[in-house]
């Protein structure tokens, strides 16, 4: 009998990557098993994201996009082919990353997951009394009506007809669907003892030297040389409240608008979390947000709130904790809407299954942490019946207490067992432990990384001589002695979100760690009661927004003293040393490269042949400082630049101080002029930390500073926190990492559970007391971690 041969299709069980050179990767070749969990490890900046996201996932998405017609591709983002020789065995990639959900104030957990859209349809069908279609329950649709004559052309004849229309929406007319109304503190907008010409306005960006100044000084609605305190009622109303009016200034048609409507449009159209720090400080100082007195924060008008199912309105349902809402939904029965009920129940059950049952559908999506946002995106994939899909996760352990990580591991294994490939970029040993295959990148970060230093099983990694292998079985020891507090920050009656009238004294002059399971109320306590106080600097998880022209030098403000030093040494203007201003190469406008847009095809990027990628005009490059040109300085590694600006001919104390902080947070390997778009998530977080540390403050609040950090880098972070405390600062850290807990002088543990099962302080004391008591989930996991 002839030997049986297996079908050729069965041979495609491996995903091949040959010769990957994206970002810092050095001709990387790797073969990954399909339908398995593969973990990618290595220090921050070693090339994990470049291999997984920028090479494998990017090429998968690019090839899927090419299956659409060129017409459809014209409306889609164009993706260039990654710099790789061969990619074989690819399957459809679904990316679940750490990007925050929309920061629009109208975006909620319910709108981001479509759960609220399904709930609106349900109430439009079953709600009593019936008030209209699904949009009648939407806080984004305003009710309106109107009518008039319209001209219609039919069969070559023109006739006039009277038409009327009406739209039934659910938006609260008072707060316009935002749930809160704003009140302005006028003393924070201007100094009424001064005139406008003397600089009375204290709003960021409203200088009398700029375009706003020309409009306010030349509008003619008030006397710009008269102190605001002496304005008539009419003049003050024009300054503060006048609606948009066309005027002419210096022969140019412009729009004049009062301060308050202008601030509403420019500042308040964004969620607070998405504002720049100086804008956020102004908004916190000048504007108070009160719950809307008409809709009581529900965002909905009276008609939408009046329609109920079993005594529950849509506002009540959206405000419920999702675990409670899921339970209520299982009691709603009507065969006429059965498919809708099944879909809604499935979505709500997924929330509970993934550990987000403590949220509510009306929670603003901008207020979710990075970890919560990532798990919210996972929800639509949990019930999917698709198989042979590649799921790509970017540190799914972010924001998870050790107790919650066990549940996340189960979900990842479920996805694998359905026949999918799971690629995991991760640092936590608890999550790396579930992998069937591990790829370790390194040996270092940036130019010192980009190579595969290990490939094999988790057990083989434990005995491998790599930085990850050496730290994988790290155990920490508790401090022999903790620092004594030199005061306390009192918090009384904290009740934001799920906090239950919490009273707590946060010790000052020490390293205080606030911990607890996800959803226990840690962020609500610290961001709600501590972060906005005077003298407090907060380094949170919000992403750094930066274009390809932004780099560490511009983001931290380091470039300003460097430009001035170059200008002084050469007797020219500082703007010459800006690639975004007078000194820019005219051919590429200071970008260093030429971008050619090819519509639906991937754009072409070529190095500028005039400046050869140096971004500056030739005459600017001739000017030197300490023997180096501006382009050479931007090409230096941070550690090299820190030594260069420290002393000698290149001494610039202001720049050296910032570079020292960048080295302290472990970013010595990145280059001074490296585009922010090429930095990994962990690198951006640490860049933000280094920038914020420059602000004068007595109390530092850090929200999960270990995000994106390798086990080896955590030690360096702890050294930095110690230096801050030893310099007389108070450091408050919201954290899940056991190494940070063990290093604390004081721990405040919230819980015991999440949502309405949390919101209470379940432990206050030293780490050794927490371990000895083992009375909380945190205490139990910390005791296991220290062995």
């Amino acid at each position: 009998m002839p030997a049986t041969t297996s079908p050729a299709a069965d041979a495609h069980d491996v995903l091949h990557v040959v010769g990957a050179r994206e970002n810092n990767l050095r001709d990387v070749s790797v073969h990954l098993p399909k339908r398995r969990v593969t973990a990618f490890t290595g220090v921050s900046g070693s090339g994990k994201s470049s291999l997984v996201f920028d090479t494998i996932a990017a090429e998968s998405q690019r090839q899927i996009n090419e299956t659409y017609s060129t017409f459809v591709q014209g409306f889609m983002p164009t993706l260039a082919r990654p710099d790789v020789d061969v990619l074989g065995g690819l399957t459809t990639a679904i990316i679940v990353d750490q990007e925050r959900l929309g920061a629009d104030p109208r975006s909620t957990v319910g709108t981001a997951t479509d759960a609220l859209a399904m709930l609106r349809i349900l109430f439009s069908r079953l709600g009593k009394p019936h008030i209209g279609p699904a949009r009648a329950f939407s806080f984004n649709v305003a009710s309106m009506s109107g009518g008039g004559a319209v001209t219609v052309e039919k069969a070559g004849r023109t006739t006039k007809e009277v038409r009327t229309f009406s739209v039934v929406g659910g938006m609260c007319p008072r707060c316009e669907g935002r749930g809160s109304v704003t009140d302005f503190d006028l003393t924070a907008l201007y100094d009424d003892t001064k005139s406008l010409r003397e600089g009375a306005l204290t709003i960021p960006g409203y200088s009398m030297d700029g375009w706003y100044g020309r409009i306010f000084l030349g509008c003619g609605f008030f006397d710009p040389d008269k102190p605001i305190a002496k304005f008539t009622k009419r003049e003050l109303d024009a300054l503060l409240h006048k609606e948009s009016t066309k005027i002419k200034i210096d022969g140019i048609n412009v729009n004049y608008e009062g301060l308050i409507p202008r601030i509403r449009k420019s500042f308040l159209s964004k969620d607070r979390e998405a504002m720049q720090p100086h804008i956020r400080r102004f908004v916190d100082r000048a504007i108070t947000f009160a719950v809307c007195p008409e809709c009581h924060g529900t965002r909905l008008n009276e008609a939408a709130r009046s329609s109920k199912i079993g005594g529950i309105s849509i506002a009540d349902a959206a405000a419920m904790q999702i675990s409670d809402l899921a339970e209520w939904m299982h009691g709603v029965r009507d065969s006429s809407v059965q498919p809708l009920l099944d879909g809604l129940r499935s979505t709500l059950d997924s929330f509970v299954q993934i550990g987000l049952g403590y949220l509510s559908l009306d929670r603003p999506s901008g207020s979710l942490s990075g970890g919560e946002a990532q798990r919210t995106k996972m929800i639509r994939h949990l019930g999917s019946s698709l198989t042979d899909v590649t799921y790509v996760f970017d540190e799914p352990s972010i924001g998870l207490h050790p107790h919650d990580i066990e549940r996340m591991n189960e979900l990842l294994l479920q996805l694998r067992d359905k026949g999918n490939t799971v690629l995991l970029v991760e640092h936590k040993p608890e999550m790396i432990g579930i992998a069937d295959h591990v790829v370790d990148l390194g040996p270092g970060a940036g130019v010192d990384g980009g190579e595969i230093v290990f490939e094999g099983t988790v057990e083989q990694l434990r005995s491998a001589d790599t930085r990850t292998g050496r730290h994988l079985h790290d155990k920490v020891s508790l401090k022999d002695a903790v620092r004594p507090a030199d005061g306390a920050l009192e918090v009384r009656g904290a009740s934001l979100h799920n906090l239950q009238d919490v009273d707590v004294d946060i010790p000052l002059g020490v390293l205080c760690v606030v911990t607890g399971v996800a959803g226990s109320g840690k962020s609500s306590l610290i961001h709600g009661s501590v972060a906005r106080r005077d003298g407090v600097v907060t380094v949170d998880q919000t992403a750094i927004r930066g274009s390809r022209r932004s780099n560490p030098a511009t983001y931290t403000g380091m470039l300003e003293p460097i430009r001035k030093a170059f200008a002084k040494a050469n007797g020219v203007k500082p703007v010459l040393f800006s690639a975004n201003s007078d000194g820019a190469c005219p051919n590429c406008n200071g970008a260093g490269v030429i971008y050619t847009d090819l519509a639906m095809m991937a754009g072409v990027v070529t190095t500028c042949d005039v400046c050869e990628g140096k971004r500056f005009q030739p005459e600017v490059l001739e000017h030197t400082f300490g023997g180096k040109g501006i382009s050479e300085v931007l090409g230096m590694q941070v550690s090299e630049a820190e030594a260069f600006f420290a002393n000698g001919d290149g001494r610039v104390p202001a720049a050296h101080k910032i570079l020292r902080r960048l080295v302290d947070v472990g970013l010595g390997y990145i280059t001074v002029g490296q585009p922010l778009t090429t930095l990994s998530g962990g690198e951006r977080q640490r860049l933000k930390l280094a920038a914020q540390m420059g602000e004068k403050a007595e109390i530092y609040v850090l929200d999960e500073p270990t995000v994106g950090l390798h086990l080896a880098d955590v030690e360096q972070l702890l050294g930095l926190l110690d230096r801050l405390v030893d310099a007389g600062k108070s450091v408050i850290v919201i954290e899940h990492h056991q190494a940070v807990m063990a290093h604390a002088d004081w721990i405040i543990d919230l819980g015991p559970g999440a949502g309405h099962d949390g919101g209470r302080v379940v432990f206050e004391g030293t780490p050794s007391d927490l371990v000895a008591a083992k009375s909380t989930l945190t205490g139990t996991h910390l005791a296991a971690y220290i062995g």
Side-chain angles (χ1 to χ4, degrees):
M1 283 181 68
T4 56
T5 56
S6 59
D10 291 350
H12 298 281
D13 283 335
V14 178
L15 196 158
H16 306 278
V17 181
V18 179
R21 292 174 295 277
E22 200 67 27
N23 296 327
N24 67 331
L25 296 177
R26 301 184 191 180
D27 259 336
V28 164
S29 296
V30 66
H31 306 285
L32 309 173
K34 287 187 182 176
R35 293 176 285 282
R36 299 289 183 272
V37 176
T38 299
F40 293 80
T41 61
V43 295
S44 180
S46 60
K48 304 181 298 297
S49 296
S50 298
L51 177 59
V52 178
F53 291 95
D54 301 340
T55 304
I56 299 171
E59 179 62 3
S60 170
Q61 291 205 316
R62 188 187 73 84
Q63 291 194 22
I64 289 168
N65 288 0
E66 285 188 346
T67 63
Y68 297 107
S69 68
T70 52
F71 173 75
V72 173
Q73 286 183 54
F75 296 96
M76 301 173 79
T78 54
L79 301 167
R81 188 181 187 279
D83 190 0
V84 60
D85 293 334
V86 179
L87 272 171
L90 285 179
T91 67
T92 305
I94 293 176
I95 299 173
V96 188
D97 58 18
Q98 297 173 32
E99 284 294 315
R100 292 295 187 94
L101 293 169
D104 189 286
R106 296 185 188 280
S107 175
T108 65
V109 170
T111 57
T113 57
D114 296 333
L116 209 48
M118 289 190 276
L119 205 59
R120 287 168 184 159
I121 298 169
L122 182 71
F123 272 85
S124 72
R125 301 297 187 271
L126 302 184
K128 298 282 187 266
H130 175 74
I131 62 164
R135 68 183 177 213
F137 295 91
S138 171
F139 50 72
N140 290 322
V141 180
S143 293
M144 61 182 84
S145 59
V150 294
T151 304
V152 182
E153 284 194 20
K154 287 181 182 174
R157 295 179 58 200
T158 302
T159 58
K160 284 197 173 182
E161 296 179 7
V162 175
R163 298 271 177 93
T164 60
F165 77 93
S166 66
V167 175
V168 180
M171 179 188 287
C172 168
R174 172 75 190 274
C175 65
E176 297 182 345
R178 292 171 185 266
S180 63
V181 289
T182 52
D183 193 17
F184 288 79
D185 177 4
L186 299 183
T187 61
L189 303 185
Y190 55 77
D191 177 354
D192 67 0
T193 62
K194 294 180 180 176
S195 69
L196 287 173
R197 202 179 297 279
E198 291 169 336
L201 299 185
T202 54
I203 306 163
Y206 282 63
S207 161
M208 289 299 110
D209 299 329
W211 185 241
Y212 278 157
R214 289 172 69 181
I215 293 174
F216 279 100
L217 296 178
C219 66
F221 297 128
F222 35 69
D223 181 356
D225 296 303
K226 183 164 70 173
I228 292 177
K230 295 185 178 175
F231 273 23
T232 64
K233 213 171 191 178
R234 188 171 180 175
E235 286 176 321
L236 191 61
D237 185 70
L239 174 68
L240 293 176
H241 302 290
K242 196 170 188 70
E243 291 299 325
S244 185
T245 308
K246 284 195 177 347
I247 59 170
K248 196 168 259 191
I249 302 282
D250 300 336
I252 301 169
N253 290 323
V254 295
N255 273 358
Y256 172 84
E257 200 169 22
L259 291 177
I260 287 176
R262 193 177 280 276
I263 289 170
R264 285 191 199 280
K265 286 178 188 173
S266 59
F267 294 166
L268 303 187
S269 59
K270 283 185 183 173
D271 185 75
R272 182 184 173 276
E273 305 302 321
M275 295 174 186
Q276 292 174 290
H278 70 289
I279 301 291
R280 195 185 307 177
R281 282 195 292 274
F282 164 73
V283 167
D284 289 345
R285 186 174 70 248
I287 303 161
T288 53
F289 297 86
V291 174
C292 174
E294 281 192 23
C295 68
H296 309 293
T298 62
R299 305 164 178 246
L300 294 163
N301 59 28
E302 192 175 349
R305 301 196 308 273
S306 68
S307 182
K308 298 184 178 182
I309 299 173
I312 298 289
S313 71
I314 190 169
D316 299 330
M320 277 185 196
Q321 186 164 303
I322 287 173
S323 55
D324 295 341
L325 178 61
E327 203 173 305
W328 176 73
M329 279 300 307
H330 284 285
V332 177
R333 289 185 174 83
D334 192 304
S335 57
S336 66
V337 290
Q338 196 58 46
L340 181 64
L341 288 171
D342 291 341
L344 190 50
R345 285 170 187 155
S346 173
T347 300
L348 296 175
D349 288 343
S350 293
F351 269 104
V352 177
Q353 186 185 5
I354 209 164
L356 292 177
Y358 59 85
L359 296 177
S360 59
L361 295 183
D362 64 0
R363 171 90 174 258
S365 58
S367 70
L368 298 183
S369 70
E372 287 171 332
Q374 190 173 15
R375 283 182 287 153
T376 300
K377 292 176 196 171
M378 271 185 79
I379 282 163
R380 63 185 63 220
H381 306 304
L382 289 180
S384 170
S385 54
L386 291 173
T387 60
D388 264 330
V389 168
T390 299
Y391 286 96
V392 186
F393 289 95
D394 190 5
E395 281 197 78
S397 65
I398 287 175
L400 291 185
H401 188 271
H403 170 72
D404 302 310
I405 286 178
E406 294 168 9
R407 186 185 287 174
M408 177 61 80
N409 283 344
E410 290 170 15
L411 294 171
L412 295 175
L413 293 174
Q414 276 178 31
L415 285 175
R416 178 201 66 185
D417 294 344
K418 277 175 24 179
N420 298 304
T421 305
V422 178
L423 305 183
L424 203 60
V425 174
E426 191 49 81
H427 291 293
K428 286 276 178 74
E430 301 97 315
M431 296 212 80
I432 297 169
I434 66 162
D436 304 299
H437 188 72
V438 181
V439 177
D440 192 21
L441 284 99
V447 294
D448 299 324
E451 297 175 28
I452 290 178
V453 292
F454 169 84
E455 197 177 348
T457 65
V458 178
E459 284 310 311
Q460 290 168 334
L461 177 64
R462 291 185 196 281
S463 54
D465 188 26
T466 69
R467 286 181 79 175
T468 306
R470 290 192 293 273
H471 285 86
L472 199 59
H473 36 68
D474 273 2
K475 296 289 181 186
V476 293
S477 54
L478 297 171
K479 280 182 174 178
D480 295 328
V482 294
R483 302 178 186 94
D486 59 10
L489 196 103
E490 293 185 0
V491 175
R492 296 290 178 266
S495 55
L496 182 66
H497 295 140
N498 65 328
L499 294 176
Q500 300 182 20
D501 274 333
V502 169
D503 295 337
V504 66
D505 291 336
I506 300 172
L508 298 177
V510 299
L511 175 58
C512 175
V513 172
V514 181
T515 186
V517 296
S520 58
K522 304 179 298 298
S523 298
S524 301
L525 175 66
I526 300 303
H527 291 300
S529 302
V530 177
R532 299 188 189 186
R533 301 192 187 195
D534 291 337
V536 177
V537 163
T538 305
V539 185
D540 58 20
Q541 292 180 35
T542 48
I544 290 177
R545 301 282 178 209
S547 70
R548 53 195 172 213
R549 287 181 176 270
S550 305
N551 54 52
T554 56
Y555 180 77
T556 59
M558 179 208 316
L559 201 55
E560 194 63 30
I562 292 174
R563 283 201 295 248
K564 286 178 179 173
F566 266 90
K568 189 175 179 183
N570 294 281
V572 292
K573 297 183 298 182
V575 287
L576 274 181
F577 302 98
S578 169
N580 299 324
S581 189
D582 294 6
C585 165
N587 189 48
C588 62
N589 294 322
V593 291
I594 305 290
Y595 296 94
T596 308
D597 181 22
L598 299 177
M600 73 284 174
M601 305 295 285
V604 176
V605 182
T606 52
T607 302
C608 173
D609 53 8
V610 174
C611 67
E612 296 175 342
K614 292 179 179 175
R615 304 177 64 192
F616 294 90
Q617 297 171 17
E619 52 270 31
V620 175
L621 295 171
E622 289 172 10
H623 297 305
T624 61
F625 173 72
K628 300 275 187 187
I630 186 69
S631 184
E632 291 174 283
V633 167
L634 292 174
M636 286 181 178
Q637 283 194 357
V638 165
S639 54
E640 187 186 347
E642 191 260 337
F644 174 76
F645 289 112
N647 42 47
D649 294 339
R651 186 170 181 271
V652 181
H656 176 258
K657 199 173 176 183
I658 296 169
L659 287 159
R660 179 73 250 163
R661 292 201 300 269
L662 288 171
V663 172
D664 282 346
V665 297
L667 291 177
Y669 60 88
I670 65 173
T671 58
V672 173
Q674 187 172 333
L676 289 189
T677 49
T678 65
L679 298 182
S680 70
E683 287 166 338
R684 291 188 189 199
Q685 172 93 339
R686 283 181 286 160
L687 179 63
K688 191 176 185 181
L689 174 59
Q692 299 271 50
M693 278 168 53
E695 296 191 29
K696 290 190 171 105
E698 293 305 311
I699 301 171
Y700 286 89
V701 171
L702 286 82
D703 191 350
E704 286 197 75
T706 60
V707 167
L709 285 190
H710 187 267
L711 296 159
D713 297 324
V714 173
E715 294 174 12
Q716 188 167 5
L717 174 73
L718 293 175
L720 172 65
L721 299 182
D722 277 342
R723 285 196 294 278
L724 279 173
V725 176
D726 293 339
K729 309 295 184 187
S730 302
V731 179
I732 302 166
V733 182
I734 301 170
E735 191 52 83
H736 294 292
H737 202 297
Q738 296 99 316
V740 180
M741 294 179 204
H743 200 74
D745 298 306
W746 193 259
I747 286 184
I748 297 172
D749 194 17
L750 279 93
H756 55 47
D757 296 326
R760 299 190 292 277
V761 174
V762 291
F763 176 84
E764 289 178 83
T766 64
S768 54
D769 291 341
L770 178 64
V771 168
K774 286 189 191 174
S775 56
T776 69
L777 284 169
T778 306
T780 306
H781 284 278
L782 183 57
Y785 191 81
I786 62 171

